[in-house]
């Protein structure tokens, strides 16, 4: 069945970002490792214990619930902690007091805090967080921009599917004519090849072959006679010129005498060998054959064939076969296929126009989404910039010899940058976490409840759960299509069949709408054919196969004199070569001997004669050899035909008499018997046709691969690969960065103490004062003269 090629490849390769997608999938598996609930479990819970469905949902969603609860706790507590932290610092607590106590391990603590902040802020958050979120955001935008091509490809395939289906159905119907013609042709050939009618009439072909052979003999002999005479004259002329050349005085020289004598002695070989002038002619035999062929013996066969073709038997058989074809055509036209396809085409065109109109709007909204996500990433980048500048300025401007109250401006600026980063972290963290929680709950559930079940087909099993989508219907899809929910038609089976590009008749079980087995049941037609065969009436008694004149001509053919041809004389001359010596070998030998002579006119003359001999061979000897081959074939055919010619003719006449007797007495009975014998074979053709039609309709006609491609494109590519994977990767990066804000805040606050300029500091005194060398400067109200 002719089928079109579809353009859509329902497969998406994400590229390098696919590694991030796999990491997110692994994280979601940790959050939600529970298996997808089966449809029967859900259905039983819904029917018996409706409250249990809540328990099942909570158990299945426990990972998301706990994670979302932690996110909400983060949203509530972090701004509250930030507020308390600010108030605490305003009261000179929580590190708000601009005084730093001197410790022996201060340098070690500062280095550790700086390293931890650098790792938490710049490496983990930037690489894993911000870059991951930005890559996911950009990937979704790129896919949305390229989605139009994939959408157009799906619409194109659906149009091809709808337009090609009627042509495939017409192709199946038209193939019935091929089967019908083959059945009639075989029926005619089987009956008309019966040996009682035509087997012995091969003598007609023998007469024509004999005539052609005699004509070939006559023409070939004439060509050979003329050719050998012309060849003899040319060879005589060549010998004369060679002899004159050899009589030149140059041949008397000592170096050339022996060579010239050898050439002179070989001139006698330049002569013809076969003589066709004495062969007897075949004109008399040819004339008798022509007299026999004046009566068209083959027209006798056509009389029987014409009578058979115009009999009521052939008319009855043809009418039965035509009725089968008309029934098939009527049935196919009665099917609402054209109307359904036309309605679907209208809806498809409207849907395509709708998509084309709203696609710019989708791109516009996607731009707003991209901009919003970019702003969220910029919030994190702003915090990172403050931390980065704080680390850079603090590290570069730090002077270990300076006291906390005398630290430089650059170091103090670094500490201020760190505290600015802490402040923006408290301001932005709850906004970021709100976005993370919302996208996490939405995208994670789409992945676990739609994408993964769609990939392993558990989603279809849930949709196919009896009485789930409609409490009164066992099979929802069958209830929608056939209004009969008891038909075993499931979403999973339809999708799998379409995925394998099976016909829509098989995929949707359309036999419940119209059963092709009833239409293509050949048994209902064989009874009608058998009944018509039993009432066959054929009258061939008026046909005379061979009258007395025809018989006399056949006898004249047997005595046409072909057996009197002297085949041995022909074969004797044919077996001879045209010339006594091979002219090419003679010319090559002559040229070789000329090379032995001294350079001069004699050598050139002999080489010229050699080239002349080669020309004679190519232009005259080769055509004569071809004519001899044709004459050989014709003579052997005539010799084979002439043997037992009279016996063959008598056998033909006897066969014709027997056939004439059969026609006059029981021709109709013989034809009916032969027809019944072959009727099983004819019916076998139609059984093969019906099986082929059933198989084609089931597997090839309206192959629904485009429907599966549309589902894969909408769910697997658009929803899962484009949207869900990108959204999940975005919240994964954004959430990771937000979570690392907490340790970054702690390290930044701790580290800022070592970079900012303090108002007061610890001073070192003698141990004599009893303070172990340290006391607070503000207790004495004086500055430390040492550090000053």
């Amino acid at each position: 069945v002719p089928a079109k090629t579809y353009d859509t490849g329902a497969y998406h390769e994400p590229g390098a970002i696919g590694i991030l997608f796999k990491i997110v999938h692994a994280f979601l598996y940790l959050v939600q490792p529970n298996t997808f609930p089966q449809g029967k479990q859900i259905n039983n819970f819904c029917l018996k214990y409706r409250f249990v469905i809540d328990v099942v949902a909570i158990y299945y969603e426990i990972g998301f619930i706990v994670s979302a609860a932690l996110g909400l706790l983060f949203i509530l507590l972090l701004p509250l902690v930030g507020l308390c932290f600010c108030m605490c610092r305003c009261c000179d607590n929580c590190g708000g007091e601009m005084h730093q106590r001197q410790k022996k391990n201060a340098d070690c603590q500062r280095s550790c805090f700086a390293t931890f902040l650098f790792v938490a802020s710049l490496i983990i958050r930037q690489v894993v967080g911000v870059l991951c979120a930005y890559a996911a955001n950009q990937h979704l935008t790129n896919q949305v921009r390229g989605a139009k091509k994939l959408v157009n490809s799906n619409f194109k395939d659906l149009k091809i599917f709808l337009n090609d289906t009627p042509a495939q159905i017409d192709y199946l119907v038209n193939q019935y004519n091929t089967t019908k013609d083959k059945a009639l042709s075989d029926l005619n050939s089987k009956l008309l090849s019966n040996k009682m009618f035509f087997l012995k009439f091969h003598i007609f072909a023998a007469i024509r072959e004999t005539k052609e052979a005699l004509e070939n003999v006559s023409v070939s002999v004439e060509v050979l006679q003329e050719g050998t005479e012309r060849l003899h004259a040319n060879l005589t002329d060549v010998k004369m010129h060679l002899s004159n050349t050899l009589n030149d005085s140059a041949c008397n020289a000592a170096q050339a005498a022996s060579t010239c004598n050898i050439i002179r002695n070989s001139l006698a070989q330049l002569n013809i060998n076969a003589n066709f002038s004495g062969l007897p002619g075949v004109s008399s035999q040819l004339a008798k054959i022509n007299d026999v062929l004046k009566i068209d013996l083959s027209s006798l066969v056509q009389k029987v064939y014409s009578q058979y073709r115009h009999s009521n038997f052939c008319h009855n058989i043809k009418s039965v076969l035509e009725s089968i074809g008309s029934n098939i055509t009527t049935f196919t036209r009665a099917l609402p296929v054209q109307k359904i396809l036309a309605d679907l085409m209208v809806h498809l065109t409207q849907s395509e126009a709708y998509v084309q109109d709203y696609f710019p709007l989708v791109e516009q909204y996607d731009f707003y989404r991209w901009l919003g996500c970019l702003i969220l990433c910029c919030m994190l980048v702003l915090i990172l910039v403050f931390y980065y500048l704080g680390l850079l300025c603090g590290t570069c401007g730090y002077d270990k010899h300076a006291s906390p109250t005398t630290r430089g401006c650059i170091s103090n600026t670094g500490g201020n940058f760190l505290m600015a980063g802490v402040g923006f972290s408290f301001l932005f963290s709850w906004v970021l976490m709100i976005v993370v929680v919302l996208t996490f709950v939405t995208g994670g559930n789409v992945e676990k409840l739609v994408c993964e079940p769609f990939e392993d087909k558990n989603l279809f099993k849930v949709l196919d759960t009896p009485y789930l989508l409609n409490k009164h219907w066992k099979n929802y899809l069958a209830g929608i299509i056939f209004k009969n929910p008891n038909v075993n038609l499931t979403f999973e089976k339809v999708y799998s069949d379409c995925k394998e590009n099976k016909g829509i008749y098989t995929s949707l079980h359309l036999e419940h709408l119209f059963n092709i087995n009833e239409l293509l049941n050949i048994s209902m037609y064989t009874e009608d054919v058998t009944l018509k065969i039993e009432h066959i009436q054929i009258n061939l008694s008026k046909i005379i196969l061979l009258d007395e004149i025809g018989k006399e001509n056949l006898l004249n053919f047997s005595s046409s004199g072909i057996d009197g041809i002297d085949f041995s004389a022909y074969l004797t001359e044919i077996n001879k070569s045209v010339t006594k010596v091979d002219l090419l070998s003679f010319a090559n030998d002559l040229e070789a001997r000329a090379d032995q002579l001294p350079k001069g006119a004699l050598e050139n003359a002999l080489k010229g004669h050699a080239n002349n001999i080669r020309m004679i061979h190519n232009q005259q000897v080769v055509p004569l050899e071809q004519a001899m081959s044709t004459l050989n074939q014709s003579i052997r055919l005539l010799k084979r035909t002439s043997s037992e010619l009279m016996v063959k003719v008598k056998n033909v006449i006897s066969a014709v008499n027997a056939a004439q007797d059969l026609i006059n007495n029981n021709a109709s009975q013989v034809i009916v018997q032969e027809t019944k014998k072959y009727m099983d074979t004819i019916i076998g053709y139609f059984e093969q046709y019906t099986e082929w039609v059933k198989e084609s309709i089931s597997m090839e006609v309206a192959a629904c691969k485009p429907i599966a491609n549309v589902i894969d494109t909408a769910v697997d590519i658009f929803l899962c690969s484009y949207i869900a994977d990108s959204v999940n990767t975005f919240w994964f990066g954004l959430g990771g960065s937000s979570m690392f804000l907490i340790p970054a805040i702690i390290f930044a606050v701790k580290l800022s103490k070592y970079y900012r300029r303090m108002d007061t500091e610890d001073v070192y005194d003698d141990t004599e004062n009893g303070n172990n060398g340290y006391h607070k400067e503000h207790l004495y109200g004086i500055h430390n003269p040492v550090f000053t």
Side-chain angles (χ1 to χ4, degrees):
V1 178
K4 299 293 184 179
T5 302
Y6 300 115
D7 298 334
T8 303
Y11 175 75
H12 173 66
E13 181 60 43
I17 199 173
I19 299 175
L20 295 178
F21 293 165
K22 292 180 180 179
I23 294 174
V24 174
H25 292 166
F27 177 77
L28 286 175
Y29 179 77
L30 293 177
V31 174
Q32 166 54 295
N34 300 319
T35 58
F36 191 76
Q38 298 297 318
K40 292 182 178 180
Q41 297 174 354
I42 297 176
N43 187 48
N44 292 333
F45 289 149
C46 291
L47 292 178
K48 297 180 181 179
Y49 309 103
R50 187 166 293 274
F51 68 92
V52 181
I53 193 68
D54 298 330
V55 178
V56 174
I58 292 174
Y59 174 76
Y60 183 75
E61 293 284 330
I62 188 66
F64 288 101
I65 294 173
V66 172
S67 300
L70 293 176
L72 293 176
L73 192 63
F74 184 96
I75 295 170
L76 295 176
L77 292 183
L78 201 61
L80 184 60
V81 170
L83 180 60
C84 295
F85 179 73
C86 292
M87 296 175 63
C88 183
R89 286 181 67 87
C90 290
C91 297
D92 290 338
N93 294 316
C94 303
E97 181 185 7
M98 298 300 290
H99 175 83
Q100 186 176 15
R101 293 171 177 82
Q102 298 292 337
K103 297 181 180 179
K104 293 181 180 180
N105 61 347
D107 289 338
C108 180
Q109 288 183 350
R110 177 179 54 81
S111 299
C112 290
F113 290 150
T115 302
F116 291 151
L117 180 61
F118 179 78
V119 173
S121 296
L122 301 182
I123 298 180
I124 298 177
R125 288 175 59 196
Q126 185 173 358
V127 176
V128 178
V130 178
L131 294 183
C132 181
Y134 177 80
N137 183 37
Q138 190 62 39
H139 177 266
L140 179 56
T141 298
N142 294 338
Q143 299 308 321
V144 170
R145 291 174 181 174
K148 188 174 183 180
K149 181 179 179 181
L150 185 58
V151 171
N152 292 336
S153 176
N154 276 275
F155 277 115
K156 180 182 177 182
D157 288 349
L158 288 175
K159 288 182 177 180
I160 292 175
F161 169 74
L162 296 178
N163 292 327
D164 194 44
T165 299
Q168 291 178 328
I169 295 175
D170 293 339
Y171 177 82
L172 295 180
V173 175
N174 294 334
Q175 289 305 303
Y176 174 80
N177 294 327
T178 303
T179 305
K180 179 188 67 176
D181 296 339
K182 175 65 176 176
L184 290 175
S185 174
D186 284 5
L187 182 61
N188 293 338
S189 63
K190 283 294 179 179
L191 292 175
L192 298 178
S193 63
N194 189 283
K195 62 181 181 179
M196 290 178 291
F197 286 115
F198 306 108
L199 186 58
K200 297 301 181 179
F201 282 96
H202 68 277
I203 192 64
F204 303 152
I207 296 175
R208 287 191 297 271
E209 291 177 357
T210 302
K211 177 188 175 182
E212 293 175 0
L214 289 173
E215 290 176 345
N216 291 335
V217 169
S218 179
V219 173
S220 298
V221 168
E222 183 177 353
V223 170
L224 289 172
Q225 288 175 350
E226 294 178 356
T228 51
E229 290 178 2
R230 186 167 60 256
L231 177 62
H232 177 70
N234 290 335
L235 291 177
T236 301
D237 187 57
V238 169
K239 285 193 296 183
M240 182 183 67
H241 288 86
L242 264 174
S243 180
N244 293 335
T245 302
L246 294 174
N247 291 330
D248 188 85
S249 58
C251 278
N252 296 327
Q255 297 178 351
S258 61
T259 302
C260 291
N261 289 331
I262 294 173
I263 297 174
R264 190 179 293 109
N265 294 332
S266 65
L267 293 180
Q269 298 177 352
L270 291 177
N271 206 344
I272 61 174
N273 190 29
N275 184 14
F276 298 98
S277 59
L279 293 178
V282 292
S283 56
S284 60
Q285 291 86 348
L286 184 59
K288 290 183 179 181
I289 294 296
N290 288 330
D291 291 338
V292 173
L293 290 177
K294 288 180 180 179
I295 297 179
D296 188 7
L297 298 176
S298 62
S299 63
L300 300 175
V301 177
Q302 297 299 325
K303 291 180 181 180
V304 181
Y305 181 67
S306 177
Q307 181 70 17
Y308 168 76
R309 290 186 57 188
H310 293 87
S311 64
N312 62 339
F313 164 71
C314 287
H315 176 73
N316 292 338
I317 295 299
K318 289 180 180 179
S319 64
V320 172
L321 299 180
E322 292 291 346
S323 65
I324 297 175
S326 62
N327 288 339
I328 295 176
T329 304
T330 303
F331 179 82
T332 54
R333 291 178 179 176
L335 296 177
V337 175
Q338 293 290 350
K339 184 179 183 304
I340 294 174
L341 294 178
D343 293 340
L344 290 176
M345 181 62 73
V346 171
H347 293 305
L348 182 64
T349 305
Q350 293 175 351
S351 301
E352 184 179 15
Y354 179 83
V355 170
Q356 296 295 338
D357 292 340
Y358 279 89
F359 201 83
L361 188 62
V362 172
E363 291 181 334
Q364 182 180 0
Y365 283 134
D366 178 71
F367 172 75
Y368 296 150
R369 178 209 55 80
W370 175 84
L371 189 61
C373 293
L374 186 63
I375 292 174
L376 295 175
C377 292
C378 290
M379 290 180 180
L380 287 173
V381 171
L382 179 62
I383 298 173
L384 289 174
V385 168
F386 280 122
Y387 285 156
Y388 179 77
L389 292 176
L391 287 171
L392 182 64
C393 295
T395 303
C396 295
Y398 181 77
D399 185 4
K400 64 180 180 179
H401 299 292
S403 66
T405 59
T406 60
R407 287 172 183 157
C409 178
I410 298 176
S411 176
N412 185 61
T413 302
N416 292 334
F417 275 130
L418 291 178
M419 292 308 298
V422 172
F424 280 109
S425 296
F426 282 120
L427 289 176
F428 295 155
S429 59
W430 65 278
V431 178
L432 296 175
M433 189 53 66
I434 288 176
V435 176
V436 169
V437 171
L438 292 177
T439 54
F440 165 74
V441 173
T442 304
N445 278 286
V446 169
E447 175 67 27
K448 301 298 291 187
L449 296 177
V450 178
C451 298
E452 289 185 2
F454 178 82
E455 185 177 357
D456 56 19
K457 298 182 181 180
N458 282 327
L459 182 62
F460 296 108
K461 294 179 181 178
V462 172
L463 296 177
D464 293 329
T465 303
Y467 309 106
L468 179 64
L469 300 179
N470 189 317
K471 62 180 181 180
H472 302 293
W473 287 356
K474 180 180 180 181
N475 296 303
Y476 182 78
L477 186 60
I480 292 294
I481 297 177
F482 305 121
K483 307 301 180 184
N484 182 8
N486 295 321
V487 176
N488 186 21
L489 181 65
T490 61
F491 288 100
E492 181 184 8
K493 188 65 169 61
V494 172
Y495 174 77
S496 300
D497 289 344
C498 289
K499 193 76 173 176
E500 297 173 3
N501 203 26
K502 292 183 179 181
I504 200 169
Y505 183 87
T506 298
S507 301
L508 295 181
H509 294 274
L510 296 181
E511 66 271 10
H512 296 283
L513 288 180
F514 46 88
N515 193 347
I516 61 172
N517 291 324
E518 297 178 358
L519 165 69
L520 300 175
N521 186 8
I522 199 65
S523 61
M524 61 170 40
Y525 302 108
T526 55
E527 296 179 358
D528 194 10
V529 174
T530 304
L531 183 62
K532 292 183 179 299
I533 290 175
E534 293 177 352
H535 293 82
I536 290 177
Q537 293 182 357
I538 301 178
N539 185 11
L540 303 177
S541 59
K542 297 181 179 180
I543 294 179
I544 299 177
L545 294 180
L546 192 63
D547 56 12
E548 295 299 327
I549 298 177
K551 294 178 182 179
E552 183 178 353
N553 278 281
L554 287 178
L555 294 175
N556 291 336
F557 169 68
S558 63
S559 59
S560 59
I562 297 176
D563 54 347
I565 298 176
D566 190 359
F567 296 109
S568 59
Y570 280 93
L571 295 176
T572 300
E573 297 300 325
I574 290 171
N575 292 328
K576 295 180 181 179
S577 60
V578 178
T579 57
K580 291 184 178 180
V581 66
D582 183 17
L583 295 185
L584 289 179
S585 300
F586 187 87
N588 293 335
D589 184 66
L590 179 61
E591 189 171 9
R593 295 189 181 281
D595 291 334
Q596 298 175 2
L597 298 175
K599 302 294 182 181
L602 179 61
E603 178 190 10
N604 295 332
L606 291 176
K607 289 184 177 180
H609 291 309
N611 291 332
N612 191 20
I613 293 173
R614 291 192 185 97
M615 186 181 301
I616 292 173
H617 177 271
N618 294 330
Q619 295 180 355
Q620 298 184 32
V621 174
V622 172
L624 288 176
E625 289 176 347
Q626 295 174 352
M628 290 173 65
S629 176
T630 303
L631 179 62
N632 184 27
Q633 295 176 2
S634 301
I635 287 296
R636 294 186 183 278
L637 176 61
L638 291 174
K639 184 178 180 181
R640 188 169 57 253
T641 303
S642 63
S643 60
E644 300 180 357
L645 185 60
M646 181 61 71
V647 176
K648 292 181 180 179
V649 171
K650 289 182 179 180
N651 290 339
V652 169
I653 294 175
S654 299
V656 169
N657 292 332
Q660 186 68 61
D661 182 67
L662 177 63
I663 289 174
N664 294 335
N665 296 316
N666 56 354
S668 299
Q669 181 180 358
V670 171
I671 291 177
V672 172
Q673 291 176 352
E674 292 294 323
T675 304
K676 289 181 178 179
K677 291 179 182 179
Y678 195 63
M679 186 52 60
D680 293 338
T681 304
I682 296 177
I683 293 174
Y685 289 151
F686 291 100
E687 291 178 347
Q688 293 178 8
Y689 169 75
T690 56
E691 291 300 323
W692 172 74
V693 170
K694 294 176 184 177
E695 181 69 18
S696 299
I697 291 177
S698 300
M699 304 301 298
E700 300 180 53
V701 174
C704 57
K705 180 70 172 179
I707 299 177
N709 286 342
V710 169
I711 298 175
D712 289 338
T713 301
V715 179
D716 188 40
I717 296 180
F718 284 168
L719 179 60
C720 297
S721 297
Y722 288 0
I723 299 176
D725 284 345
S726 299
V727 170
N728 289 333
T729 305
F730 180 79
W731 64 251
F732 181 76
L734 204 64
S737 298
S738 300
M739 293 302 298
F740 278 100
L741 286 176
I742 297 176
I745 290 173
I746 297 173
F747 296 138
V749 171
K750 291 288 186 180
L751 185 61
S752 65
K753 274 283 190 178
Y754 294 93
Y755 292 156
R756 299 179 70 188
R757 185 184 296 119
M758 300 289 104
D759 293 336
T760 60
E761 64 183 26
D762 290 344
V763 295
Y764 182 78
D765 276 344
D766 287 332
T767 57
E768 297 176 353
N769 297 328
N771 293 323
N772 294 327
Y774 293 95
H775 65 85
K776 291 184 178 180
E777 183 182 354
H778 66 84
L779 296 177
Y780 296 89
I782 59 174
H783 294 288
N784 189 332
V786 177
F787 292 105
T788 303

